[in-house]
Amino acid sequence: ATWTGGDDLPTNPLACDGTAAAPVAKPYDGGEVTNQPDRKGKPIKVVDVPKLIGIGYFNATSKGIADAAKELGNVDAKTDGPTQANIDQQISFIDNYITSGVDGILFAANDPVAIAPVLKKALAAGINVVGYDANSEPNARQWFVNQAEFNGIAKSLVDNMAKEIGEDGSFAIVTSTFTTPNQARWISEMAAYQEKCHPKMKWLETVEAQEDNVLSFNQATTLINKHGADLKGIFGMTSVATPASAEAVTQAGQCGKVAVIGLATPNAMKPYVAKDCVKSVVLWNPVDLGYAAMYTLRAAADGDLKPGATSVKAGKLGELQVINGSEILLGAPYTFTKENINDFDF
Amino acid sequence: MTATLRSLLRHETILAILLVIVLAALATQSDRFFTTANLLNQGRLMTEVGLVALAMTFVIVTGGIDLSVGSILGLTAILLGVFWHNLGLPLPAAMVLAVLAGGIGGLINGLIITRFKVPPLIATLATLALYRGLAEGISQARSVRGYPEWFFVLGQGEVWGVPTQLWILGVLVIIAAVILGLTTFGRATYATGANETGARFSGIGVDRTKMLIYTASGLVAGVAGVIFVSRVSTTRSDMGTGLELDVITAVVLGGTSIFGGRGTIIGTVLGLILMQALKNGLALSGVKGDGTIVVIGLVLILAIVASNIFSRNGDG
Amino acid sequence: MQPILALDGVSKSFAGVHALKSVSFDVRPGEVHALMGENGAGKSTLIKVMAGVHAPDSGDIRVNGEVVRFASPREARAAGIATVYQELLLFPELSVAENIFLGHAPRTTMNALDWPKMRNEARRLLDDLDSHDLDVDARVGSLSVANRQRVEIAKALSQDARVLIMDEPTAALADADARRLMDVVRRLRDRGVAIVYVSHRMPEIFALATRVSVLRDGAYVGTSDIGDITEAELVSMMVGRPVDQLFPKANTEIGATVLELRNVGYRDEIENISLTLRAGEIVGIAGLIGSGRTELALTMFGITPATSGEILLDGKPIAITSPKQARDLGIAYVPEDRGLQGLIKSQTIRENLSLSLLDRISTASIINRAKESSLARELIKRFGIRARGPEQRVRQLSGGNQQKVVLAKWVATEPRVLIMDEPTRGIDVGAKAEIHALMSRLAGQGLAVLMISSELPEVLGMSDRVLVMNNGRIVAEFDRAHATPDSVGTAMMQTQTLAEVA
Amino acid sequence: MSMSAPAAARPAPPMRLLKRVAAYGQEFILLGAIAALFIVVGIISPRFFGANNISNIFAGNAYIAVAAIGMSLVIISGHIDVAVGSLIGVLATISGLLAVNGYPIWLAWLAPVLIGIVVNAGVGSLVAYLRIPSIVVTLGMLSILKGGLISVTAGAWITNLPEDYLIAQFRLLGVPSPVWFMVILTALVAFWMRYSSFGRTIYAIGGNVEAARVAGIQVERSTVIVFAIHGAFAGIAAVLFATQLQVIQSTVPPNLELTVITASVVGGVSILGGTGTVIGSTLAAILFAAIASSLIFLNVSAYWLRSVQGLLILITVLADMARRRRLR
Ligand SMILES: Nc1ncnc2c1ncn2[C@@H]1O[C@H](COP(=O)(O)OP(=O)(O)OP(=O)(O)O)[C@@H](O)[C@H]1O
Ligand SMILES: Nc1ncnc2c1ncn2[C@@H]1O[C@H](COP(=O)(O)OP(=O)(O)OP(=O)(O)O)[C@@H](O)[C@H]1O
Ligand SMILES: [Mg+2]
Ligand SMILES: [Mg+2]
């Protein structure tokens, strides 16, 4: 089945040769905090509400936030959120923290539109709001720390796959659910980029496996059994699906015959990379992402990061660039390989 | 007060006392808990669960259960978007049609249960998957957004300083309480749950009663779906996932017997408030989400244990 | 001879109800000791104390002279006491064989259940009870009440008990089956088993019992050898007063035809039923078990709507497709199984009494509670229901009083046709007389009454006309003058043979 | 004219066989459904018959089948457990933590079973002695276990599992060990349910508690034991679940309780208690795996996957209802 999903947003594939698209200068389109008290240099209380808690990825961002808070010294940060990626519960969590009176909110949105009203409420209550990982509508938060742009991730994934399975290879995708916004965007961008730059590659199908280890494994295994030698590569779209797909390939004895490329955290992938079953894992460093988000929030609270700024200082990460009006770019996605994967621990 | 009323109210009394204690305790933990603004806001957040819990009370009193409500909510949300955005219907018409579609979902549950005598748990377990699947299939994972401003009055606005949907919940609570407590239909509901054969042999339209109740359950889930969309400004096919567990917890906490024949709307409302107060109050007191879940689980078990012990002492 | 089982000053109360007040009772090997009393007198409670279901509040239980305490029914059973309970306690989803042997099934050498042996033994026990047609593999849930009763008895017999307690074992049986059962009881008695026997049927008591003991309101009244007492004396011991005549059939004026059935059938259960019911008339239906009498009633009441034929009310064709519709047409049905079909036992008397006439005590669907309560109080008084008040739960009433609630509930709908299925099953003589009197009175007021009963004397005593059913058909009709035990009985039997030949 | 009607009247030998078939009807329906699925899908896409695919279908849901064995016992005894998914999540995490923290492997395998027994004996005690409906207790347990697990682990994945701990990846005679577990446990329990007195006790309690009580069955104790056995199977399922991959997610697998309950009831276990077999629930678990696999093979748009699953459940249940009505 071909990909029909995602959202109605236009895709914007990057140039095949990797020349960066000229950044479009865009005026600040974030939201404004009303009646923000003077927080400059004062201790602040911050809550981080990720999409869900209890998965490796958000454990890592949460660690980055904690690291940054400790480094800054004047931030009291904690992470709390739903146990399932559920828009409604996430909203309730944020709402409760607004009532309890925090100074800053960090979030990774389960749904950009659904989360907007409650974030606007936070802004109206004088709370600094910064997103990371998954954006909301721009005017519902001040800043968004973008780990890597959708089209950048798409390019990185598809290029890596093409390198491993050849320009005429066939591949399939294992994703969480078709409704997860980030994954849906990535897949749309991947489709567009593959069409444009690797037109002979064949996209076999996309299967859903929720954020469930064993289900991902079963789905990937079935893909291998179904397509046999036709299947040259599997994309894992989540930090759950990628190791499970690698496991499926391993247990099917297809290492080296079926490539696994995907978004994943290094720790979960180390065994497969070590055994050469997986050659490249694409991801930014989620610890850095959380770290940058925390610094951005602090800067916004201090009044150092104002609309119109072109960069922000983020501790050990240095200066980060502002793009798209109100987004802060963490950097290009990172490709973990056998050579460097053991340098990371998250 | 008559003996029945007393015995019926026993669990509710315990619950009410428990609620007062919990509210007092939470108020001492955080001075932001017991404020009008917070309480009204909590009312807004619990409306969808509350609406569905009202219908679920009837369902459980008949000795049934409806696990498909969360999926119906998701399906109506999607249909609202599809009717309005893809089919170009006026939004009010789309709202009505979406709610009706929820009713049809409930009607199908009722048909499977009454015509084919499939136990409600199994029937709605199947439609739980079916309706969610339809929502996914119809939406093809697309969201519908960009609703006009007036539509958000329902889920985000206020009327006389009180969240709009809380008025709807309030009105429906009264209607449900009157129907279940005072009318012939309510009596038929209790009789059906206590002894279905006996009710049928007494000239009660048992199947009709059940059909109406399951249909109403679907309709109310549809209304909750529309309110939900208005509250969060978007439609997604995974809306309402897991709603059934919250709803059933509220109803059971409210003293409705899972075996049927016993339960009140007052109890359900108390159960609902207790649950929401715990979620909110604990969060405000600095307890994390997972800790709150644990507390709610414990309260559910302890409340039922307590009322069992008290009522057994009472009955002898 | 020393009693094998004896109770000494046993008391038991439930939430303030003194069900037993210092009762003494014993039974010896080789005798049938009948236990008598009105509904609610405490017979079943006494039995449950002997069977280890209830622990007595005070008093002693002795087995072979030694004081014992039964902590559970298992211990009583281990002491050789087997019980057939009044409310049949069977497992509907399990087979007949398994129901009989549950808890003491034969084992193979490997200690696994020996299914073939279990089935054979079950077959043997059922054959002993002359129940050759009862399949040992049948699911008990699919059996008729009478067959379930047989399973219960086979279950008790399977334990090789020294004491066999039977609580109204014949209540659900037709005469012929009851006689077969009595033969079995005699055989066991002659084998030296001690038997405690509860029944409301006087003839059985006089045919079977060696001694009889009477309880009244939970108190022990006395014991007598059966030869030393007359039926009238026994009745007045039970009731504490002389009882009105049984079968007080008043001659009433029979009016116009109210309900007429023409060639009515339902699937292959009943066929070609034609009958007329007239105002003021009591029509009795006799028949053996499974002859389709209940099926006919269910069809007339809309539970199993007719699949063929015509039904006319006041000469106008009608369709009865649901009980609700039947009720609205003025047809009432007092069902066979009062616990399941007649009552909502967990609800109060008030709620039960008003359930079939809710429309009449409500305005715009809102129930008028004052009206409901006064209606309940009035009916309790009118039908002499012995209860604390309208708010008492029906579950707590004795069988006879429960039956009166069912009757009251239906009479209160002011029906034109009253169908009664086994209206006095398990009812004591006092209550029975009251119900009979009531039936007469209702007919006198112009009701058309259709009475199904397995007690031939009741059918003959109460009916203006008697229909005999067999195999789902009406095979004979007698008017009061010609309905004698011989003629009706012969009709029942003859057709039975005919059916077997066919 | 239905075939079972004359059979009911006089069971001649061939009719008796038919009746047996009818009595085990749900198992035959499921077997038929599985066979039909295999044939249809296999014809359309021969790779469906690949040895790997068949073995994956059987192995993939084996832990669900094992959990459904315990669940079936609970449902047959007239109760239900909606917390089984959370329990499996907790037990899998405990098992993994033991394995990576240097405890003996056998302990990592055994501990979940023992803890499952203890926890569910507690649940069973609340149900049996305090007379709290099982759905209420387990609804509470669902929250407690799920919230508790996340509080304790914060969702940290367990990696670096020792190779010899991964029991679900072992093979015997070329067959994955989960399949052995599933088949052997199902057969053992099926046999035990039919030939042991405790097995029959479970049916008795579920069929009619009052009758069971007067038949001398210690209803309360038996209920606790049934729940404890269910806990043991949850423990085994958790170990199979935990060792299937080289990482353990240490969260509660979404909707697992619904899948397990669905396997039981689609397998023919009456939700009202008193009837059913574990063979049915195992077949149902296999059917689900076969459906999930088939849908991918048949190129059914994954968007419609869940509707198809829902419909199939409905059809199986309706077929069962029709059969039962004919049986009556
Ligand atoms: N479990 C119980 N709880 C409360 N009251 C009970 C219980 N069992 C019996 N009773 C009461 O005890 C009294 C005696 O009842 P019992 O069933 O022993 O009467 P019975 O003589 O067997 O009557 P019947 O002829 O109608 O069967 C009745 O008033 C009944 O309501
Ligand atoms: N195979 C069966 N499955 C379920 N119920 C049955 C079956 N056979 C009989 N019954 C029920 O048993 C009762 C008696 O059946 P039927 O109407 O055939 O006989 P009857 O003449 O009324 O006999 P009885 O003297 O037992 O009342 C009815 O309630 C009927 O529904
Ligand atoms: Mg009795
Ligand atoms: Mg009958």
Side-chain angles (χ1 to χ4, degrees):
Chain A
T2 48
W3 180 256
T4 53
D7 39 40
D8 293 321
L9 300 177
T11 50
N12 181 22
L14 292 177
C16 302
D17 58 7
T19 45
V24 198
K26 207 170 150 193
Y28 179 76
D29 61 354
E32 304 278 351
V33 187
T34 4
N35 300 325
Q36 179 186 335
D38 179 21
R39 297 197 168 110
K40 190 158 181 73
K42 294 190 181 138
I44 56 172
K45 231 167 94 179
V46 172
V47 65
D48 159 40
V49 186
K51 284 186 190 181
L52 74 166
I53 56 171
I55 66 166
Y57 181 82
F58 286 112
N59 288 342
T61 56
S62 163
K63 177 170 181 295
I65 289 166
D67 290 350
K70 202 162 149 209
E71 221 170 274
L72 286 162
N74 53 3
V75 179
D76 167 16
K78 81 164 170 183
T79 297
D80 194 6
T83 52
Q84 268 171 21
N86 177 317
I87 48 175
D88 184 31
Q89 285 187 34
Q90 183 175 35
I91 292 168
S92 300
F93 271 97
I94 296 177
D95 209 315
N96 278 337
Y97 280 104
I98 295 172
T99 309
S100 78
V102 291
D103 301 293
I105 292 174
L106 292 167
F107 70 91
N110 277 312
D111 185 280
V113 175
I115 203 174
V118 75
L119 293 181
K120 285 179 186 158
K121 185 172 162 188
L123 291 174
I127 298 171
N128 292 104
V129 181
V130 169
Y132 65 94
D133 181 69
N135 205 351
S136 69
E137 288 181 323
N139 65 356
R141 43 76 185 154
Q142 292 176 283
W143 301 94
F144 172 68
V145 182
N146 195 338
Q147 59 272 38
E149 296 201 73
F150 292 114
N151 51 11
I153 301 272
K155 175 176 163 52
S156 179
L157 286 170
V158 178
D159 284 346
N160 273 312
M161 183 63 88
K163 204 164 76 197
E164 283 197 44
I165 66 173
E167 285 298 336
D168 53 357
S170 311
F171 62 89
I173 298 179
V174 180
T175 186
S176 47
T177 68
F178 301 131
T179 42
T180 323
N182 276 1
Q183 273 75 13
R185 286 299 304 144
W186 283 322
I187 296 176
S188 303
E189 290 286 357
M190 282 160 69
Y193 181 78
Q194 179 245 315
E195 193 95 323
K196 178 175 165 189
C197 300
H198 304 282
K200 290 211 198 89
M201 284 176 88
K202 189 158 166 244
W203 180 0
L204 295 170
E205 64 185 294
T206 304
V207 295
E208 260 189 323
Q210 305 183 15
E211 297 275 352
D212 183 336
N213 234 334
V214 172
L215 184 59
S216 303
F217 170 79
N218 285 342
Q219 297 288 69
T221 305
T222 307
L223 286 174
I224 296 168
N225 291 335
K226 175 182 175 187
H227 297 290
D230 296 344
L231 181 72
K232 302 284 190 223
I234 298 177
F235 283 116
M237 297 311 298
T238 70
S239 56
V240 177
T242 310
S245 301
E247 180 78 36
V249 170
T250 311
Q251 289 193 20
Q254 296 288 315
C255 276
K257 294 185 200 121
V258 177
V260 175
I261 309 268
L263 300 163
T265 50
N267 280 352
M269 297 304 292
K270 279 174 192 166
Y272 312 107
V273 173
K275 276 185 274 182
D276 258 340
C277 209
V278 174
K279 298 220 171 52
S280 42
V281 180
V282 176
L283 200 69
W284 49 93
N285 184 330
V287 181
D288 287 352
L289 179 61
Y291 181 91
M294 186 66 248
Y295 265 91
T296 305
L297 182 78
R298 181 74 243 187
D302 286 344
D304 296 341
L305 181 59
K306 291 200 188 70
T310 55
S311 69
V312 64
K313 280 202 197 62
K316 63 178 186 194
L317 298 176
E319 294 257 332
L320 297 179
Q321 235 200 317
V322 173
I323 57 165
N324 284 342
S326 59
E327 295 182 12
I328 286 141
L329 187 64
L330 184 65
Y334 196 89
T335 304
F336 302 95
T337 59
K338 196 172 184 177
E339 282 66 49
N340 63 15
I341 196 162
N342 286 318
D343 305 342
F344 300 89
D345 181 23
F346 62 83
Chain B
M1 197 163 46
T2 62
T4 0
L5 201 56
R6 225 181 302 136
S7 68
L8 275 180
L9 279 181
R10 200 170 284 132
H11 177 89
E12 283 80 342
T13 318
I14 294 170
L15 199 62
I17 295 168
L18 186 65
L19 182 60
V20 169
I21 295 170
V22 166
L23 289 179
L26 291 172
T28 60
Q29 286 300 304
S30 164
D31 53 2
R32 289 163 194 265
F33 174 72
F34 215 79
T35 63
T36 321
N38 184 46
L39 295 183
L40 286 178
N41 190 36
Q42 293 312 309
R44 191 192 287 286
L45 294 180
M46 75 182 189
T47 299
E48 292 99 13
V49 170
L51 285 173
V52 179
L54 295 179
M56 188 70 83
T57 309
F58 283 79
V59 171
I60 297 183
V61 167
T62 65
I65 197 143
D66 186 353
L67 297 179
S68 71
V69 285
S71 296
I72 292 185
L73 189 150
L75 184 58
T76 33
I78 287 302
L79 288 178
L80 173 67
V82 167
F83 289 146
W84 175 66
H85 186 259
N86 303 26
L87 301 185
L89 296 178
L91 188 51
M95 288 162 68
V96 172
L97 284 179
V99 171
L100 287 182
I104 292 174
L107 184 79
I108 293 173
N109 285 340
L111 275 176
I112 300 172
I113 291 163
T114 56
R115 276 293 144 77
F116 300 101
K117 312 280 177 235
V118 178
L121 188 95
I122 307 179
T124 57
L125 200 59
T127 54
L128 165 106
L130 178 62
Y131 296 153
R132 182 67 67 195
L134 285 178
E136 285 174 354
I138 292 170
S139 74
Q140 297 280 303
R142 280 164 209 268
S143 301
V144 173
R145 297 161 180 167
Y147 294 93
E149 272 308 313
W150 67 262
F151 176 62
F152 298 131
V153 170
L154 190 57
Q156 300 173 34
E158 292 181 352
V159 175
W160 296 312
V162 173
T164 320
Q165 61 263 60
L166 211 46
W167 289 104
I168 299 177
L169 180 62
V171 170
L172 283 178
V173 164
I174 293 170
I175 292 176
V178 168
I179 293 180
L180 189 59
L182 304 179
T183 65
T184 55
F185 186 81
R187 207 51 86 68
T189 307
Y190 284 115
T192 301
N195 176 358
E196 193 174 322
T197 310
R200 183 170 284 127
F201 273 77
S202 302
I204 300 287
V206 168
D207 287 347
R208 183 176 151 270
T209 305
K210 288 208 249 178
M211 287 291 293
L212 279 172
I213 288 175
Y214 282 96
T215 307
S217 174
L219 277 174
V220 170
V223 172
V226 172
I227 291 175
F228 196 1
V229 171
S230 171
R231 173 156 74 85
V232 302
S233 331
T234 184
T235 54
R236 286 172 48 130
S237 60
D238 60 356
M239 280 175 153
T241 308
L243 181 85
E244 61 280 355
L245 287 185
D246 273 358
V247 170
I248 294 168
T249 305
V251 174
V252 169
L253 190 54
T256 298
S257 163
I258 206 79
F259 303 123
R262 214 154 48 79
T264 60
I265 293 294
I266 300 174
T268 296
V269 171
L270 288 173
L272 183 70
I273 295 176
L274 180 57
M275 221 168 80
Q276 191 68 27
L278 282 173
K279 278 188 189 168
N280 172 241
L282 289 175
L284 295 186
S285 326
V287 178
K288 282 207 200 175
D290 34 64
T292 307
I293 303 180
V294 174
V295 173
I296 289 178
L298 281 172
V299 167
L300 174 64
I301 294 180
L302 292 179
I304 305 295
V305 169
S307 96
N308 259 25
I309 289 172
F310 283 114
S311 64
R312 227 192 294 169
N313 284 351
D315 281 349
Chain C
M1 202 188 307
Q2 195 196 15
I4 181 163
L5 177 68
L7 300 186
D8 202 6
V10 163
S11 297
K12 175 77 190 169
S13 55
F14 301 101
V17 180
H18 287 280
L20 293 176
K21 301 167 196 158
S22 189
V23 173
S24 299
F25 181 86
D26 64 53
V27 61
R28 300 172 196 143
E31 76 161 351
V32 176
H33 192 160
L35 185 57
M36 303 283 293
E38 285 183 286
N39 294 124
K43 303 179 295 292
S44 297
T45 307
L46 188 69
I47 280 170
K48 286 182 177 165
V49 169
M50 295 190 250
V53 175
H54 294 317
D57 297 340
S58 62
D60 288 335
I61 306 173
R62 274 179 235 274
V63 174
N64 281 329
E66 298 206 14
V67 176
V68 293
R69 283 209 87 79
F70 297 139
S72 74
R74 183 194 286 275
E75 292 181 13
R77 230 168 53 181
I81 301 170
T83 313
V84 176
Y85 296 94
Q86 182 174 12
E87 59 278 14
L88 302 180
L89 290 171
L90 294 167
F91 306 100
E93 299 292 346
L94 302 183
S95 72
V96 167
E98 192 167 8
N99 263 283
I100 293 175
F101 284 104
L102 198 115
H104 56 278
R107 305 298 182 97
T108 63
T109 43
M110 305 279 291
N111 202 32
L113 301 189
D114 189 343
W115 285 89
K117 186 161 177 212
M118 202 192 296
R119 295 179 58 248
N120 289 339
E121 295 274 300
R123 182 73 271 153
R124 194 181 53 73
L125 284 164
L126 289 172
D127 286 347
D128 264 4
L129 292 172
D130 281 339
S131 304
H132 306 284
D133 51 343
L134 189 52
D135 180 3
V136 294
D137 294 324
R139 219 171 50 90
V140 160
S142 71
L143 300 181
S144 65
V145 179
N147 277 336
R148 288 181 206 195
Q149 184 76 62
R150 289 177 177 147
V151 175
E152 264 295 0
I153 294 164
K155 182 167 134 188
L157 296 182
S158 72
Q159 300 168 28
D160 268 336
R162 291 182 294 162
V163 179
L164 176 62
I165 304 172
M166 304 173 104
D167 195 353
E168 304 197 30
T170 53
L173 300 188
D175 281 349
D177 294 293
R179 273 196 298 275
R180 281 200 286 185
L181 177 77
M182 283 157 65
D183 287 340
V184 174
V185 172
R186 281 193 202 96
R187 275 209 307 275
L188 291 170
R189 179 196 63 195
D190 296 344
R191 254 191 253 160
V193 177
I195 293 164
V196 178
Y197 193 91
V198 176
S199 176
H200 289 293
R201 297 186 179 180
M202 285 297 170
E204 280 175 19
I205 301 301
F206 282 92
L208 272 184
T210 321
R211 288 190 294 160
V212 56
S213 288
V214 175
L215 294 181
R216 191 193 314 144
D217 287 335
Y220 173 70
V221 178
T223 303
S224 166
D225 282 341
I226 200 72
D228 301 347
I229 193 167
T230 65
E231 188 167 328
E233 284 164 356
L234 183 53
V235 169
S236 73
M237 255 174 106
M238 286 165 58
V239 186
R241 60 185 156 81
V243 167
D244 308 335
Q245 178 208 355
L246 276 181
F247 318 131
K249 178 71 185 106
N251 276 328
T252 53
E253 195 168 319
I254 294 181
T257 299
V258 182
L259 192 72
E260 182 174 357
L261 272 62
R262 289 186 190 158
N263 297 322
V264 165
Y266 172 72
R267 305 229 174 117
D268 50 2
E269 316 245 342
I270 53 169
E271 286 166 294
N272 278 327
I273 304 282
S274 298
L275 61 84
T276 54
L277 296 179
R278 284 173 293 217
E281 185 183 35
I282 299 180
V283 176
I285 302 190
L288 296 174
I289 281 185
S291 56
R293 297 164 301 169
T294 298
E295 238 2 289
L296 171 61
L298 295 182
T299 297
M300 293 172 71
F301 191 57
I303 302 268
T304 54
T307 48
S308 61
E310 254 190 311
I311 302 178
L312 298 98
L313 187 69
D314 294 331
K316 283 186 282 291
I318 48 161
I320 307 174
T321 55
S322 71
K324 183 173 155 58
Q325 202 184 4
R327 182 197 66 194
D328 294 344
L329 289 167
I331 300 172
Y333 174 54
V334 175
E336 175 175 46
D337 182 343
R338 64 175 164 260
L340 184 67
Q341 301 164 335
L343 297 165
I344 315 286
K345 282 170 111 177
S346 61
Q347 294 190 341
T348 60
I349 298 175
R350 166 180 58 79
E351 285 166 312
N352 271 281
L353 288 174
S354 64
L355 194 58
S356 8
L357 40 75
L358 287 173
D359 296 342
R360 239 178 277 170
I361 50 160
S362 57
T363 25
S365 282
I366 306 272
I367 297 169
N368 183 336
R369 279 292 291 269
K371 246 194 208 168
E372 188 185 17
S373 289
S374 67
L375 175 87
R377 269 193 295 274
E378 187 216 305
L379 288 172
I380 289 174
K381 217 165 87 198
R382 191 167 133 208
F383 286 79
I385 298 167
R386 256 166 270 167
R388 281 204 300 274
E391 297 305 322
Q392 187 167 11
R393 288 184 192 279
V394 166
R395 198 207 323 265
Q396 298 170 350
L397 299 183
S398 75
N401 283 306
Q402 290 184 3
Q403 184 69 8
K404 286 187 204 162
V405 174
V406 186
L407 253 170
K409 143 184 164 179
W410 279 110
V411 170
T413 65
E414 294 165 12
R416 306 195 43 212
V417 177
L418 180 61
I419 307 169
M420 301 197 191
D421 199 348
E422 312 286 1
T424 60
R425 169 179 293 174
I427 301 276
D428 68 58
V429 272
K432 201 164 176 175
E434 287 175 42
I435 287 171
H436 286 156
L438 196 79
M439 206 186 294
S440 259
R441 210 159 62 233
L442 292 170
Q445 290 161 8
L447 248 81
V449 178
L450 183 70
M451 182 189 67
I452 298 169
S453 172
S454 295
E455 271 187 75
L456 206 48
E458 184 171 67
V459 177
L460 300 179
M462 292 304 299
S463 310
D464 291 303
R465 239 174 342 127
V466 176
L467 306 176
V468 180
M469 277 190 81
N470 190 276
N471 245 0
R473 295 162 187 270
I474 294 181
V475 293
E477 178 169 347
F478 301 91
D479 59 24
R480 190 173 173 80
H482 296 97
T484 61
D486 266 354
S487 61
V488 174
T490 315
M492 285 160 64
M493 291 304 160
Q494 253 176 3
T495 51
Q496 175 79 358
T497 349
L498 276 179
E500 271 172 13
V501 170
Chain D
M1 186 73 204
S2 70
M3 293 198 293
S4 53
R10 195 147 308 207
M15 286 308 180
R16 183 103 123 254
L17 185 70
L18 268 178
K19 262 181 81 181
R20 273 275 160 83
V21 171
Y24 281 92
Q26 188 71 349
E27 285 82 346
F28 283 92
I29 291 176
L30 289 168
L31 216 50
I34 294 172
L37 205 64
F38 271 75
I39 291 168
V40 171
V41 182
I43 287 172
I44 296 173
S45 172
R47 280 199 189 123
F48 192 74
F49 278 131
N52 275 338
N53 201 50
I54 303 280
S55 119
N56 288 134
I57 287 175
F58 282 89
N61 270 3
Y63 74 100
I64 288 173
V66 170
I69 292 175
M71 181 63 79
S72 297
L73 301 194
V74 168
I75 299 181
I76 291 171
S77 76
H79 297 287
I80 196 156
D81 176 9
V82 297
V84 68
S86 305
L87 183 61
I88 290 176
V90 168
L91 296 178
T93 304
I94 292 174
S95 173
L97 286 175
L98 292 173
V100 292
N101 285 314
Y103 289 91
I105 300 290
W106 60 263
L107 187 63
W109 288 337
L110 190 62
V113 178
L114 296 179
I115 298 171
I117 290 174
V118 171
V119 169
N120 269 8
V123 170
S125 303
L126 286 176
V127 172
Y129 292 104
L130 293 183
R131 304 276 161 90
I132 312 182
S134 52
I135 192 167
V136 176
V137 180
T138 55
L139 206 54
M141 282 306 282
L142 166 86
S143 289
I144 294 171
L145 290 171
K146 191 165 151 181
L149 178 62
I150 294 173
S151 301
V152 173
T153 64
W157 285 16
I158 303 168
T159 53
N160 294 325
L161 297 167
E163 283 280 326
D164 51 0
Y165 163 67
L166 301 173
I167 189 170
Q169 301 184 23
F170 299 172
R171 276 164 184 265
L172 182 64
L173 307 176
V175 176
S177 70
V179 180
W180 287 111
F181 273 96
M182 174 173 80
V183 170
I184 293 174
L185 289 175
T186 304
L188 275 179
V189 174
F191 188 83
W192 176 75
M193 291 288 280
R194 179 145 180 91
Y195 287 99
S196 76
S197 66
F198 192 80
R200 304 320 290 175
T201 296
I202 300 175
Y203 286 98
I205 295 176
N208 185 346
V209 185
E210 276 322 303
R213 223 181 279 283
V214 300
I217 291 169
Q218 289 168 298
V219 173
E220 283 76 20
R221 225 191 69 197
S222 306
T223 305
V224 174
I225 295 174
V226 167
F227 270 90
I229 295 172
H230 168 50
F233 281 98
I236 300 172
V239 173
L240 292 179
F241 175 76
T243 57
Q244 216 159 359
L245 310 180
Q246 293 178 47
V247 288
I248 296 172
Q249 239 174 333
S250 74
T251 47
V252 171
N255 295 330
L256 183 55
E257 56 280 339
L258 287 187
T259 314
V260 174
I261 293 171
T262 310
S264 280
V265 295
V266 170
V269 176
S270 162
I271 206 74
L272 310 172
T275 54
T277 69
V278 295
I279 298 174
S281 61
T282 296
L283 288 173
I286 295 171
L287 178 67
F288 294 162
I291 291 173
S293 180
S294 304
L295 289 175
I296 293 182
F297 272 86
L298 293 178
N299 292 324
V300 176
S301 161
Y303 289 119
W304 296 101
L305 191 139
R306 231 175 299 189
S307 344
V308 174
Q309 282 173 339
L311 267 182
L312 279 171
I313 298 172
L314 213 49
I315 291 169
T316 344
V317 172
L318 289 180
D320 181 41
M321 287 295 154
R323 177 186 65 81
R324 274 174 210 233
R325 204 160 317 156
R326 219 172 326 118
L327 196 64
R328 223 173 277 146

